[in-house]
Amino acid sequence: MISYGKQTIDSDDIKAVVDALENDLITQGPAVERFETEIASYFGSKYCSAVSSGTAALHLIGKALDWGSGDIILTSPITFLASANSILYSEATPDFVDINPLTYNLDINQLEEKVNFYRREGKQIKAVIAVDYAGNPCDWESLRYLADKYDFVLINDNCHSMGSEYLGEKEYAVKYADLVTQSYHPVKHFTTGEGGSVLTNNKALDQRIKLLRSHGMTKEKNIIGDNKGPWYYEMHEVGFNYRITDFQCALGLSQLIKLDNFLNSRREIAKSYNAAFNDKKNLKVPFVPHYSKHSYHLYPLNIDFKSISVDKISFFRKMKNNGILLQVHYIPIHLQPYYKKSFGFRKGDYPNAESFYENEVSIPIYPSLKKTEQKYVIDLFLKEFDE
Ligand SMILES: *Cc1c(COP(=O)(O)O)cnc(C)c1O
């Protein structure tokens, strides 16, 4: 079965993990710091805190920013649940901004309208979590401009876009956003099994996140004062155990070396899909704005099911019978029963996101997808869509 995405693991990765398991410390050891240093260097960030998942990274951000009841945080309805759930963890209020139908990212004009809508009610937006959907960066100059103009914290949920470029820079995420989250789940660009990071250039926020990822425990002299004994630690606020292990970081270090090759492979596959599907009447390939170099975590193909004879369910079934496991990214979050029930969201609230959901299909893209498999996917699709 060919799925929409999966990890690429080689013998170097396996050796790195086995070696790490033979060390004295298999967690809270030296590989974690080494991984953080390499991640910070690759993505141009001053600080990096590696944690147990991308979701943990998002949770810690809300805690470090002291989100709480009554705070309004905006995100896109077309993202993984964790982007929005992280707002709920802090008991803040989530709201959404519809996507731009071309880029599939949160629409800048509608964002400004929503901010002003709240301002008219005397309310201030606390933060915006923007997602570089599928690997296609948002319009970050405009986002930064709005964050400064309206004084909200700007977060880049960068889990799809590690290695994407914005205006020629793969270091763009930390440059424009105040905080950046990454995920190293096996379907992402590189993996630690489970894992994630928070990247920032803000020292105070980084220190707070490092404290919160490990129970809020500290031995820092500037916090606890005089040495009260080598065993001594203090806790000033409730933290979590969101640590990542040394053997996961060893895998991450080994994977990071190959990230550029992984990115090249993904872009090559996207190129052949683009060439095959670009001029087909009922298909829309991903749009790449002038400022963006896409990294294709996903290849979201937009299929106009209304104008063809097959519906989405039958199409999925047919492809599965032919050995291709498609996916949909994503069901708009505002349509999830929990969000509808808790916040009163309804069908029709975000029409661009909803019509995107009707048409979107994520087709196989991962570095080890063979040329013959790509051709197999393309031929099957063309058989369906060539008139
Ligand atoms: C994968 C992902 C996450 C969550 O990461 P985990 O490591 O799976 O917890 C969050 N946001 C987005 C956009 C993601 O794709």
Side-chain angles (χ1 to χ4, degrees):
M1 197 63 95
I2 305 174
S3 72
Y4 81 92
K6 69 168 180 188
Q7 72 276 12
T8 307
I9 300 287
D10 66 15
S11 55
D12 288 344
D13 296 323
I14 294 167
K15 184 172 183 308
V17 174
V18 171
D19 287 351
L21 284 170
E22 283 168 352
N23 291 338
D24 274 348
L25 294 173
I26 60 171
T27 191
Q28 296 178 281
V32 178
E33 256 180 63
R34 235 176 19 244
F35 182 58
E36 289 174 339
T37 304
E38 291 302 318
I39 291 285
S41 149
Y42 188 96
F43 294 99
S45 168
K46 275 195 187 146
Y47 309 104
C48 169
S49 300
V51 295
S52 53
S53 71
T55 306
L58 284 159
H59 184 187
L60 290 178
I61 281 181
K63 289 290 168 191
L65 293 170
D66 293 314
W67 293 350
S69 174
D71 289 336
I72 302 152
I73 322 288
L74 304 178
T75 190
S76 166
I78 297 295
T79 178
F80 182 56
L81 285 172
S83 312
N85 287 352
S86 70
I87 302 163
L88 308 181
Y89 298 156
S90 299
E91 277 154 52
T93 305
D95 200 355
F96 299 97
V97 175
D98 206 355
I99 59 166
N100 178 304
L102 263 184
T103 63
Y104 312 147
N105 285 325
L106 167 159
D107 185 89
I108 298 293
N109 293 323
Q110 295 200 49
L111 170 61
E112 188 162 19
E113 277 167 27
K114 182 134 267 184
V115 170
N116 280 317
F117 163 82
Y118 277 110
R119 278 160 67 93
R120 284 194 295 275
E121 306 216 315
K123 291 177 188 159
Q124 156 91 16
I125 298 299
K126 189 100 172 183
V128 171
I129 305 174
V131 181
D132 295 337
Y133 173 79
N136 196 25
C138 296
D139 176 359
W140 282 99
E141 278 197 330
S142 299
L143 283 171
R144 186 69 255 168
Y145 170 79
L146 292 179
D148 293 336
K149 182 172 175 187
Y150 296 109
D151 194 26
F152 57 75
V153 178
L154 188 55
I155 296 157
N156 184 339
D157 180 346
N158 202 232
C159 297
H160 290 189
S161 294
M162 303 175 295
S164 297
E165 292 176 26
Y166 175 80
L167 293 173
E169 287 183 288
K170 68 174 164 28
E171 299 87 352
Y172 73 97
V174 179
K175 180 171 171 182
Y176 291 96
D178 301 296
L179 290 147
V180 174
T181 57
Q182 299 191 334
S183 163
Y184 315 123
H185 182 277
V187 294
K188 308 290 161 75
H189 285 98
F190 62 104
T191 190
T192 60
E194 298 280 358
S197 283
V198 179
L199 276 61
T200 183
N201 287 336
N202 183 317
K203 188 173 182 180
L205 283 174
D206 178 68
Q207 286 178 333
R208 188 96 189 273
I209 281 160
K210 290 202 161 78
L211 204 64
L212 288 166
R213 80 172 160 186
S214 194
H215 310 283
M217 282 167 69
T218 183
K219 291 186 166 195
E220 289 282 332
K221 202 167 178 299
N222 58 351
I223 299 173
I224 66 175
D226 285 342
N227 186 2
K228 298 180 181 71
W231 65 87
Y232 192 76
Y233 56 85
E234 283 182 3
M235 172 196 147
H236 293 261
E237 63 176 322
V238 184
F240 309 88
N241 181 354
Y242 278 166
R243 294 185 305 253
I244 190 169
T245 66
D246 274 55
F247 49 99
Q248 287 174 296
C249 288
L251 176 56
L253 282 162
S254 171
Q255 287 263 299
L256 190 59
I257 297 168
K258 290 169 287 203
L259 177 56
D260 288 339
N261 287 337
F262 291 163
L263 293 165
N264 286 339
S265 309
R266 286 178 182 274
R267 288 179 178 131
E268 281 302 310
I269 297 166
K271 216 159 129 192
S272 45
Y273 284 156
N274 286 341
F277 302 140
N278 201 14
D279 56 358
K280 295 287 167 268
K281 204 170 74 205
N282 302 315
L283 301 179
K284 204 167 92 187
V285 304
F287 170 74
V288 184
H290 68 93
Y291 50 72
S292 158
K293 188 167 176 189
H294 208 303
S295 61
Y296 299 100
H297 159 57
L298 302 171
Y299 190 94
L301 189 64
N302 202 294
I303 303 175
D304 188 4
F305 284 103
K306 284 214 180 77
S307 62
I308 60 173
S309 56
V310 60
D311 64 56
K312 198 164 178 171
I313 297 172
S314 325
F315 182 70
F316 263 60
R317 208 173 285 143
K318 196 163 173 185
M319 288 301 147
K320 193 175 171 194
N321 290 338
N322 284 290
I324 302 173
L325 211 55
L326 302 171
Q327 229 340 324
V328 171
H329 295 91
Y330 293 92
I331 303 165
I333 296 179
H334 70 283
L335 297 181
Q336 291 296 344
Y338 183 87
Y339 281 84
K340 290 202 319 209
K341 186 182 70 177
S342 308
F343 303 102
F345 294 115
R346 283 189 298 201
K347 198 162 164 60
D349 283 349
Y350 304 100
N352 294 342
E354 291 168 25
S355 69
F356 174 74
Y357 168 58
E358 297 295 319
N359 294 351
E360 197 271 344
V361 174
S362 298
I363 69 175
I365 190 159
Y366 48 87
S368 62
L369 187 70
K370 296 191 202 80
K371 276 255 162 40
T372 50
E373 293 171 323
Q374 293 166 42
K375 188 166 183 311
Y376 177 69
V377 173
I378 288 171
D379 289 346
L380 259 181
F381 270 67
L382 287 183
K383 222 164 67 194
E384 211 62 50
F385 297 108
D386 262 339
E387 45 286 54

